[in-house]
Amino acid sequence: MARKLPPLHALPSFEAAARHLSFSRAAQELNVTHGAISRAIKTLEDRLGVLLFERTSRTVRLTTVGAPYARAVRDVLDQLGVATAAATAHQSSSTLNVSTSDGFAGRWLVPRLYRFHRANGDIDVRVSTTGRLTNFLGDGIDIAVRYGGGTYPGLTSEFLMGEEVFPVCSPKLLEGAHALRRPEDLRHHTLIHDGFPINWASWLASAGVEGVDPHSGLTFDSYSFAVESAAQGEGVVLGRTMLVAADLAAGRLVRPFGHALKSLSSFYVVYPPDAIRQRKVKAFRDWLFAEMAPPSA
């Protein structure tokens, strides 16, 4: 029995427009004109005999038929992309595209990446830093390290490491008239902030500290810059287990107090299920876990 299929060439345009709810943004993503997106969707609607979008002078929105159809088309395109990647795994590019956050890249991954290159000299690594979740097929990403709850539908998610949050500073701040000895001493020092959900207000409350303004001080968008500022003696930042481990080991940073706040989120290695068949993905995944393993006695 012959399949009843829509015009397949129109589906990527429809899926992108449905995801963005914008023909213009879909055109930018697919590197075509606005008119090309509009024509593709009109062709699809004509073939199906239904309207998929309600159009106004400024906006578009999916109809009651278009919304579930968009979800189905997205699932089909995702499955096709995964199957294509698996089918061509043996001849896939030697470039590995990794997505992670700025903090993880700058404070953990980049300082260790030379060890991966030593063991896998034929694999070129490209690191993309972003705070948003990765669209593996649309963004061309092979594997990601994400910080969150670990539930990413349709993807393989493997626990990498949990995290605690605690103040860290330069050893310089342990000396002088206002040396850091107790959490209450923070009132004499500059607090350094970044965009992390566990902030100074949370940590001070958990430590039972009063009389310290949790909102004052320096603020950075980048966690790497915030940590570097602390290492230079500019103030105290909230350290995160994985991301300050090297600085603590090297003595650039110290923990002035023992109290730590355990994060509800953790680091996970995330990738499409079939991606592990690619040697470059498996090599990087295995290397990440090997780097996490405690040194042998």
Side-chain angles (χ1 to χ4, degrees):
M1 179 177 169
R3 294 186 179 93
K4 184 178 181 180
L5 297 175
L8 300 181
H9 70 277
L11 296 184
S13 296
F14 168 63
E15 188 280 330
R19 180 161 29 88
H20 292 297
L21 291 180
S22 167
F23 288 11
S24 296
R25 291 179 63 186
Q28 292 173 358
E29 177 181 312
L30 299 180
N31 197 28
V32 297
T33 65
H34 183 285
I37 297 292
S38 183
R39 287 191 296 273
I41 292 172
K42 182 67 166 58
T43 298
L44 184 59
E45 290 179 323
D46 289 346
R47 180 69 64 85
L48 298 178
V50 296
L51 284 178
L52 300 172
F53 287 98
E54 294 179 0
R55 301 161 173 84
T56 68
S57 59
R58 294 186 178 182
T59 63
V60 295
R61 63 181 181 180
L62 290 161
T63 63
T64 55
V65 173
Y69 192 63
R71 289 193 293 270
V73 168
R74 184 172 303 123
D75 288 344
V76 168
L77 291 178
D78 285 348
Q79 291 173 19
L80 183 60
V82 169
T84 301
T88 59
H90 66 287
Q91 60 183 23
S92 62
S93 167
S94 62
T95 299
L96 179 75
N97 294 292
V98 180
S99 174
T100 189
S101 64
D102 168 83
F104 183 84
R107 307 311 304 181
W108 192 92
L109 179 59
V110 172
R112 295 168 170 80
L113 202 52
Y114 73 94
R115 292 200 282 264
F116 179 79
H117 280 298
R118 280 182 182 174
N120 302 274
D122 62 323
I123 300 176
D124 297 324
V125 178
R126 293 180 181 173
V127 179
S128 171
T129 56
T130 175
R132 66 180 177 84
L133 294 179
T134 296
N135 178 341
F136 285 87
L137 297 177
D139 298 339
I141 297 299
D142 297 302
I143 190 169
V145 177
R146 277 289 167 256
Y147 184 77
T151 302
Y152 304 101
L155 300 170
T156 297
S157 176
E158 298 183 89
F159 175 82
L160 188 62
M161 188 175 183
E163 187 170 60
E164 290 186 332
V165 179
F166 44 84
V168 294
C169 64
S170 165
K172 301 174 187 176
L173 301 192
L174 302 185
E175 305 170 352
H178 297 296
L180 279 171
R181 296 188 178 91
R182 303 176 303 150
E184 290 75 13
D185 296 329
L186 287 166
R187 65 170 57 92
H188 302 298
H189 294 271
T190 300
L191 302 184
I192 300 175
H193 308 262
D194 68 299
F196 189 57
I198 298 180
N199 55 25
W200 276 109
S202 300
W203 188 89
L204 290 167
S206 72
V209 178
E210 298 180 352
V212 177
D213 183 354
H215 307 294
S216 65
L218 295 171
T219 300
F220 295 90
D221 290 334
S222 165
Y223 186 71
S224 292
F225 292 161
V227 172
E228 192 58 34
S229 177
Q232 296 302 319
E234 298 297 323
V236 188
V237 72
L238 287 173
R240 299 165 58 184
T241 308
M242 283 181 64
L243 307 190
V244 297
D247 294 290
L248 290 171
R252 296 182 73 236
L253 293 173
V254 294
R255 291 181 62 171
F257 343 104
H259 179 71
L261 185 58
K262 185 171 179 58
S263 175
L264 296 178
S265 296
S266 302
F267 286 95
Y268 292 85
V269 182
V270 183
Y271 50 87
D274 286 343
I276 201 67
R277 298 181 186 178
Q278 300 182 52
R279 188 183 69 83
K280 62 183 181 180
V281 174
K282 186 175 188 306
F284 191 76
R285 177 262 180 211
D286 292 349
W287 173 78
L288 286 172
F289 282 100
E291 287 289 317
M292 286 294 163
S296 56

